[in-house]
């Protein structure tokens, strides 16, 4: 029987291509000179039912660079628009090609996209290419997010192109194979609203519901239902980001997936010392996408989605606005409650009371005042260790610990409380200095540090030696650390 199950092959479908023609341009990747596999993700290949790729190193780079097309591919660039730093603009896949949707052995449907695959009708003045550095960065951080348990696009492979890419300096070019529930964005809906007909918008709503929220596909008010579903998924996602200190860095509406996954890793980074206004992106001068602004921006982006959906929420515009507003007005309360619930979990408080919110707020204020490491403080609490630095010496913090212990170490519940903390407080995150060291070596051809880091980040909740968990973060590193978009 087993031999008849053809689970190890490309199983590409192209349901997105059945949308009205304005949503995409059929487009092949632009061939590259000398594709060479730089890294490959066998575990993900297995999940996709593509384990055969692993044994075929000689020509898999041809497929994962876009030089050859797998069976069933119908390559296309997706059209979308979006608000970038608050300004509406036409965008689209300027350097990515969707090959199709791989239907996996366990029935999931996942986009297979090549990023850095050459110019498309949406490239504007861009070269359609990506640097090896930035594709490896996306690979590393997206895989790390996956292992942290946070919904995200994933990375199957990075192939170097043998071509140069010109940014401020000369880089090696590369193509990333990105895997995601879909690449439909808030910006896809804004595109439909601004450049399509009402029927185009309806087709997109129907498609998105069927693909991501099938239980709602026959809802009486599909547009409103979609708005709600996306809002709740997005709230959960951003709460998860804040659990581990992740800063996306460029939460434009075109970078927000309708499926509730983290997508478009550009200037993202993890926070070390807890400062709520932390920003790493070189272009985010006003802190629009700062760590603690992420919920507010999410709500802003959802308002843009609501705006795009209005004509299908109700024929009567006033009524449509009222209904959409009612949904968006629920954001703040739901976010706050889910965020506190997550923070209670990080502190091992199993049966929280309303007053426990003060414990959370006080801890964060103390951490900020003492420049304490976000990840390490929670670990130290969990492991009953004391950290170097002023926080653990301060009387206020000692008092806080006494209060917290009363709430966390309740009789007979210590074990489940610690278990909960253990699932929410990672031992390792992709520290900025680790990421940069690994990437610096990798672009020079030494993949060993990158591979080692990848292994370390693949089990972030496992126990590790104290030297790794509580290592010194290089003094001053974060203050001058900058990340970049679209490299
Ligand atoms: P991002 O900042 O990666 O979300 O990209 C924003 C927009 O710019 C998207 O439409 C991208 O496709 C496009 N883009 C970024 N880099 C390039 C490039 N090198 N060539 C063409 N388009 C690009
Ligand atoms: Mg983008």
């Amino acid at each position: 029987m087993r031999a008849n199950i053809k689970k190890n092959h490309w199983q590409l479908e192209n349901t997105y291509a059945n949308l009205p023609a304005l949503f995409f341009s059929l487009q092949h990747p632009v061939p590259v000179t000398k594709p060479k596999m730089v890294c490959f993700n066998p575990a993900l290949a297995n999940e996709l039912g593509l384990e055969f790729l692993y044994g075929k190193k000689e020509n898999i780079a041809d497929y994962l660079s876009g030089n050859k097309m797998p069976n069933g591919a119908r390559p296309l660039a997706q059209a979308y628009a979006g608000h970038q730093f608050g300004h509406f603009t036409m965008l689209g896949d300027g350097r990515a090609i969707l090959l199709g949707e791989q239907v996996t052995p366990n029935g999931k449907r996942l986009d297979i996209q090549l990023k850095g695959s050459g110019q498309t009708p949406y490239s504007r003045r861009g070269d359609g290419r990506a640097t090896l550095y930035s594709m490896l960065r996306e690979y590393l951080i997206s895989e790390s997010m996956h292992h942290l348990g946070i919904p995200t696009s994933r990375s199957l492979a990075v192939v170097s192109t043998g071509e140069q890419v010109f940014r401020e300096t000369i880089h090696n070019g590369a193509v990333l194979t990105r895997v995601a529930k879909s690449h439909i964005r808030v910006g896809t809906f804004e595109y439909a609203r601004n450049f399509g007909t009402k029927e185009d918008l309806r087709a997109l709503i129907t498609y998105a519901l069927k693909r991501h929220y099938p239980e709602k596909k026959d809802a009486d008010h599909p547009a409103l239902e979609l708005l709600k579903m996306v809002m709740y998924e997005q709230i959960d996602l951003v709460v998860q980001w804040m659990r581990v200190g992740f800063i996306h860095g460029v939460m434009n509406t075109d970078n927000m997936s309708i499926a509730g996954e983290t997508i478009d890793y550009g200037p993202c980074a993890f926070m070390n010392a807890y400062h709520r206004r932390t920003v790493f992106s070189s272009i985010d001068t006003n802190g629009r996408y700062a760590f603690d602004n992420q919920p507010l921006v999410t709500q802003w982006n959802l308002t843009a989605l609501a705006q795009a959906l209005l004509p299908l929420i109700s024929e009567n515009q006033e009524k449509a606005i009222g209904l959409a507003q009612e949904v968006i007005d629920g954001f703040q309360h739901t976010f706050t409650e889910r965020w506190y619930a997550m923070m209670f979990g990080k502190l091992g408080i199993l049966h929280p009371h309303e007053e426990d919110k003060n414990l959370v707020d006080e801890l964060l204020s103390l951490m900020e005042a003492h420049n304490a490491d976000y990840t390490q403080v929670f670990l130290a609490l969990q492991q009953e260790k004391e950290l170097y630095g002023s926080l653990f010496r301060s009387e206020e913090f000692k008092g806080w610990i006494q209060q917290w212990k009363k709430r966390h170490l309740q009789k007979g519940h210590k074990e489940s409380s610690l278990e909960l903390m253990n699932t929410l407080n990672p031992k390792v995150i992709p520290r900025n200095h680790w990421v940069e060291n690994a990437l610096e070596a990798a672009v020079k051809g030494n993949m060993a540090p990158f591979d080692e880091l990848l292994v370390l980040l693949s089990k972030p909740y496992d126990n590790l030696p104290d030297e790794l968990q509580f290592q010194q973060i290089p003094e001053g590193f974060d203050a001058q650390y900058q990340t970049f978009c679209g490299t």
Side-chain angles (χ1 to χ4, degrees), residues 197-301:
T197 63
K198 199 168 159 184
E199 286 319 303
D200 294 325
L201 182 60
R202 193 192 309 277
L204 184 64
I205 294 169
T206 306
Y207 179 78
L209 274 179
K210 193 168 164 208
R211 186 153 173 195
H212 297 305
Y213 306 105
E215 68 280 15
K216 302 285 181 190
K217 74 180 189 334
D218 300 318
D220 290 341
H221 303 285
L224 204 60
E225 217 47 62
L226 181 68
L227 178 63
K228 283 187 202 161
M229 296 308 284
V230 174
M231 182 168 98
Y232 292 127
E233 289 294 311
Q234 203 62 34
I235 286 175
D236 285 341
L237 180 65
V238 177
V239 166
Q240 293 296 313
W241 290 355
M242 300 187 81
R243 170 170 71 80
V244 297
F246 178 78
I247 303 163
H248 183 283
V250 62
M251 294 172 68
N252 295 329
T253 56
D254 53 301
N255 292 337
M256 186 164 148
S257 159
I258 236 63
E261 287 183 328
T262 315
I263 56 161
D264 280 19
Y265 288 83
C268 63
F270 283 70
M271 176 176 66
N272 291 313
Y274 179 78
H275 288 287
R276 53 197 88 196
R277 297 298 301 159
T278 304
V279 173
F280 291 110
S281 168
S282 62
I283 57 169
D284 190 7
T285 40
N286 293 323
R288 181 179 171 94
Y289 302 134
F291 179 72
D292 78 338
N293 224 34
Q294 299 187 113
L296 209 65
V297 172
T298 305
Q299 189 180 16
W300 195 97
N301 289 351

Side-chain angles (χ1 to χ4, degrees), residues 101-394:
E101 303 132 26
Q102 172 76 1
V103 180
T104 73
N106 56 12
K108 286 190 204 153
R109 173 181 300 279
L110 296 169
D111 273 10
I112 308 285
Q113 192 205 60
L114 301 181
K115 182 170 175 182
S117 51
Q119 287 178 321
T120 75
Y122 313 112
S123 294
R124 296 169 291 165
R125 283 197 296 269
D127 60 4
R129 294 300 183 191
T131 64
L132 177 61
Y133 168 92
S134 59
M135 294 304 95
L136 285 174
R137 194 170 192 279
E138 171 155 350
Y139 186 109
L140 187 71
I141 300 188
S142 64
E143 283 305 300
S144 165
M145 290 288 271
H146 168 73
H147 293 296
L148 284 163
I150 300 175
T152 175
S153 66
R154 296 195 61 192
S155 300
L156 180 64
V158 173
V159 173
S160 61
T161 59
E163 296 174 2
Q164 292 181 330
V165 173
F166 300 92
R167 297 293 180 255
E168 291 89 57
T169 55
I170 298 173
H171 292 257
N172 290 323
V175 175
L176 170 81
T177 307
R178 178 154 84 163
V179 178
K181 277 189 180 169
S182 85
H183 289 82
I184 305 170
R185 305 144 191 272
V186 167
T188 317
F189 288 87
E190 294 179 279
Y191 171 76
R193 170 78 200 266
N194 284 278
F195 301 107
T197 63
K198 199 168 159 184
E199 286 319 303
D200 294 325
L201 182 60
R202 193 192 309 277
L204 184 64
I205 294 169
T206 306
Y207 179 78
L209 274 179
K210 193 168 164 208
R211 186 153 173 195
H212 297 305
Y213 306 105
E215 68 280 15
K216 302 285 181 190
K217 74 180 189 334
D218 300 318
D220 290 341
H221 303 285
L224 204 60
E225 217 47 62
L226 181 68
L227 178 63
K228 283 187 202 161
M229 296 308 284
V230 174
M231 182 168 98
Y232 292 127
E233 289 294 311
Q234 203 62 34
I235 286 175
D236 285 341
L237 180 65
V238 177
V239 166
Q240 293 296 313
W241 290 355
M242 300 187 81
R243 170 170 71 80
V244 297
F246 178 78
I247 303 163
H248 183 283
V250 62
M251 294 172 68
N252 295 329
T253 56
D254 53 301
N255 292 337
M256 186 164 148
S257 159
I258 236 63
E261 287 183 328
T262 315
I263 56 161
D264 280 19
Y265 288 83
C268 63
F270 283 70
M271 176 176 66
N272 291 313
Y274 179 78
H275 288 287
R276 53 197 88 196
R277 297 298 301 159
T278 304
V279 173
F280 291 110
S281 168
S282 62
I283 57 169
D284 190 7
T285 40
N286 293 323
R288 181 179 171 94
Y289 302 134
F291 179 72
D292 78 338
N293 224 34
Q294 299 187 113
L296 209 65
V297 172
T298 305
Q299 189 180 16
W300 195 97
N301 289 351
L302 289 162
T303 307
L305 176 63
Q307 201 97 42
L309 294 173
L310 282 181
L312 285 169
I313 290 179
S314 170
E315 296 281 340
N316 174 334
Q317 198 183 339
E318 226 167 276
K319 191 169 167 212
I321 293 173
L323 289 167
Q325 193 65 51
E326 207 178 302
V327 176
I328 301 290
D329 283 349
F331 179 96
Q332 186 65 46
H333 177 75
T334 308
F335 187 93
T336 306
E337 290 308 307
R338 290 187 188 184
W339 178 81
Y340 272 118
M342 175 277 289
M343 294 302 283
F344 293 147
K346 275 175 87 68
L347 290 172
I349 299 173
L350 293 172
H351 305 290
H353 300 160
E354 192 61 23
E355 312 85 76
D356 292 332
K357 290 180 177 171
N358 296 333
L359 266 183
V360 172
D361 298 346
E362 279 164 28
L363 174 64
L364 291 179
S365 297
L366 284 167
M367 279 166 64
E368 186 153 38
H370 290 274
N371 216 23
D373 187 273
Y374 186 63
T375 305
Q376 292 184 6
V377 168
F378 287 100
L379 273 188
L381 292 172
Q382 181 178 328
Q383 301 180 6
E384 295 184 54
K385 294 201 164 109
E386 288 200 4
L387 295 183
Y388 294 113
S390 60
L391 178 70
F392 280 75
R393 292 195 304 269
S394 87

